[in-house]
Amino acid sequence: METQPAGTEPKMDPDPHVPMLDPDAALRLVLEAVTQLEPVELRTEVAVGTVLAETIVADSDYPPFDRSMMDGFAVRLADAGREVAVVGEVVAGGASTDPLPSGAVVAIMTGAQCPQGTEAVVPVEDVADLGGSVRLPLHITPQQNVAARGSECTAGTAVLHAGRLVTPLRLGLLRAVGRTAVRVRPPPTLAVISTGDELVFAGAVPGPGQIRASNGAMLAAMATAAGAAQVRQSYAGDDPEALGVALEQAAGHDVIVLTGGVSAGRYDLVPAAIAAWGGTTVFHGVRQKPGKPMLFATRDRTLVFGLPGNPLAAHLGFHRYVRAALLALMGIDPRPTGARGRLRQPVTVAGSRTVFQLCQVDADDDGWAVTPLAGRGSADVFTAAAANAIVRLEPDGGPYLPGDEVSVEWLGEAPPGPVRPGGRPEHTDLLAPIAARRSLRDFESGPVPPVLLRRMFEAARWAPSSGNGQPWRFVITDNGSPAFDRLVATLRPRNDWARAAPHLVLVAAKRMYEHPTKPPKHNRFALLETGLSLGNLMVQGTADGVLVHALDGFDEVAAGEAVGVPEGFEVTVMLAVGMLSTVPMQSGVQAGAGEPTPRQRLPLVDLVFRERWGEDGSNR
Ligand code: AMP
Ligand code: MG
């Protein structure tokens, strides 16, 4: 599968299994090899998605005449408040040559040219129709509802500069200024060559030892999506001669992408075939996962990529390098579009390679939530199919815990963004008062501050549904108070943390980790699943107690680490929005002071509030 790189430049690590070239350096080398394509003249309709190679200038004034913006009457200001005769009508497209007589109005339609002398257009709904004449309103603003000639743009103005991407809106602009063809950087041409004697076409039933070829179609589609034109596909098996022929047939394309046969196995013939064809290897091997054996070569201005055969390695190689090259050839900024999101699950990055992990990113109340799709390696297209983004994880960047902020790149269009209906407050605002408190002890020292109460009620208004159609509600109380007892009495056992995922803030009930009878001397304990993510909350055990916070770095206790729990000790974690969880620390999980307890899932109980609780804890 993945083997040592065969290339000679740039230099490789002393360890033959770890290529020196990091993914950013590799991308730089690819982009350095790109020369923008020579401009061509394209019909405007097919120019969408390309970059202008000329600056577009307005051929005349826009609007080209004083244009009515409403259906109504062209009037003179002096006639405000008067009854005036309707002496004519101008429709859109009709040229009005007669000037507007004083003491009279002309009916005019939206888009029609205002008669000479028009000082305003009064909408039809603002006049009293008297049959043949109208009464005008008392107040008429000069030039109201008139788009004056040249008010949008005057003749000779640059309206689109060279280097701008042609979008559908800009196509509209090109057409408006009379352009039917423009000079643009053309879409690149691309050829995909699949290798591998074990492949059969997707329509066939594979025989023993055979698999269906899937990369060619996938890569061709990615090329089209990136803007390439004339995408050609061919197949060369694992045969040097066939490879040479396929490369020769692909010559003349701006980009050639081979898939498979790029490692150092006996039948990995692509590097040699590219060399024999006259290509110069720029790099072979990138410190990345998947796709380490990837190769990049050039012949004249042709860019040649040898991507591994494993579908996800091929996908990553195309997404990250080939796509960037295609965009750069067209003069488009090749940087991927991405976002910052928060991990939903922990991820382990083993080894020394940068991991580009397919992931599913969706919007929750606090932004983008990132679920890495681990799958079973770089051939697992089944898990991968759920992905809409790639998350980048560095080997020295971990441990990656739930809630950690990570960078993702979209695989296609960004999904609809995080929703904040009706100006939902930013979670950072909501959490600010809590984030400032680094431990639950801080909440013991006094009442919950009013500002926090207010923010919590605000938050609750926007709280998402509990999943069964009921909105979350919340209560603020102390343990020991009647309201608290009532809550506890209605607790319903549940073991599934993930389902109990409020998105907002924590209410730390006072004295929540205090044993009712014992003095809190053994106050070291752990929630046995530290680093647990509840939406955007993180629950961690600390030396002080359970800490629920807004995902900023707390390092008192590492994720998964557990410390001693005094026997009979009870911990209550109370979350603001409609959930209350208790973690009874039963005997049996006790360990010596400071000794890690065995990892064990404790019964968790949460509460779905179905009643409205008052701010004072009363049930109204
Ligand atoms: P290779 O890079 O040639 O060693 O191939 C690595 C793995 O990817 C092997 O299991 C191949 O069968 C598989 N593979 C190679 N080419 C394709 C392709 N076009 N479609 C799907 N799988 C492929
Ligand atoms: Mg192969």
Side-chain angles (χ1 to χ4, degrees), residues 195-198 237-238 259-262 267-268 309:
T195 72
D197 281 345
E198 73 281 22
D238 287 322
T259 169
V262 76
Y267 295 96
D268 289 328

Side-chain angles (χ1 to χ4, degrees), residues 194-195 198-199 211-216 259-263 268 308-311:
S194 298
T195 72
E198 73 281 22
L199 301 182
I211 62 160
R212 293 195 176 102
S214 58
N215 290 350
T259 169
V262 76
S263 308
D268 289 328
N310 268 319

Side-chain angles (χ1 to χ4, degrees), residues 198-290:
E198 73 281 22
L199 301 182
V200 295
F201 287 100
V205 178
Q210 295 184 319
I211 62 160
R212 293 195 176 102
S214 58
N215 290 350
M218 174 184 72
L219 297 173
M222 292 177 84
T224 309
Q230 299 176 39
V231 180
R232 174 200 156 94
Q233 283 193 59
S234 61
Y235 170 67
D238 287 322
D239 171 33
E241 233 171 273
L243 261 174
V245 171
L247 279 167
E248 212 31 66
Q249 287 171 343
H253 288 75
D254 299 312
V255 178
I256 302 173
V257 178
L258 298 106
T259 169
V262 76
S263 308
R266 233 167 99 202
Y267 295 96
D268 289 328
L269 308 167
V270 164
I274 291 172
W277 174 71
T280 308
T281 300
V282 180
F283 63 78
H284 188 184
V286 181
R287 194 156 52 204
Q288 64 184 11
K289 186 178 176 178

Side-chain angles (χ1 to χ4, degrees), residues 345-486:
Q345 298 164 5
V347 204
T348 315
V349 179
S352 59
R353 288 182 281 160
T354 298
V355 172
F356 294 98
Q357 177 88 60
L358 289 166
C359 59
Q360 198 179 6
V361 179
D362 49 88
D364 68 15
D365 290 334
D366 291 323
W368 296 115
V370 181
T371 308
L373 302 167
R376 273 159 219 83
S378 48
D380 184 358
V381 292
F382 303 92
T383 306
N388 62 355
I390 291 180
V391 57
R392 177 177 179 150
L393 304 164
E394 298 297 348
D396 51 5
Y400 288 95
L401 301 178
D404 278 354
E405 204 173 284
V406 289
S407 292
V408 298
E409 292 178 7
W410 303 120
L411 290 180
E413 298 263 301
V419 277
R420 301 191 191 285
R424 179 201 302 267
E426 290 285 332
H427 85 286
T428 44
D429 289 340
L430 291 164
L431 292 172
I434 291 169
R437 290 162 185 253
R438 291 184 60 92
S439 91
L440 297 184
R441 282 211 177 280
D442 293 341
F443 286 97
E444 280 195 301
S445 53
V448 181
V451 59
L452 179 53
L453 290 181
R454 208 177 54 244
R455 282 163 192 263
M456 282 170 39
F457 278 111
E458 226 170 81
R461 289 220 326 269
W462 302 111
S465 149
S466 59
N468 56 9
Q470 298 274 4
W472 292 110
R473 305 221 172 104
F474 68 92
V475 64
I476 299 166
T477 180
D478 288 354
N479 51 357
S481 74
F484 184 85
D485 292 345
R486 207 159 47 225

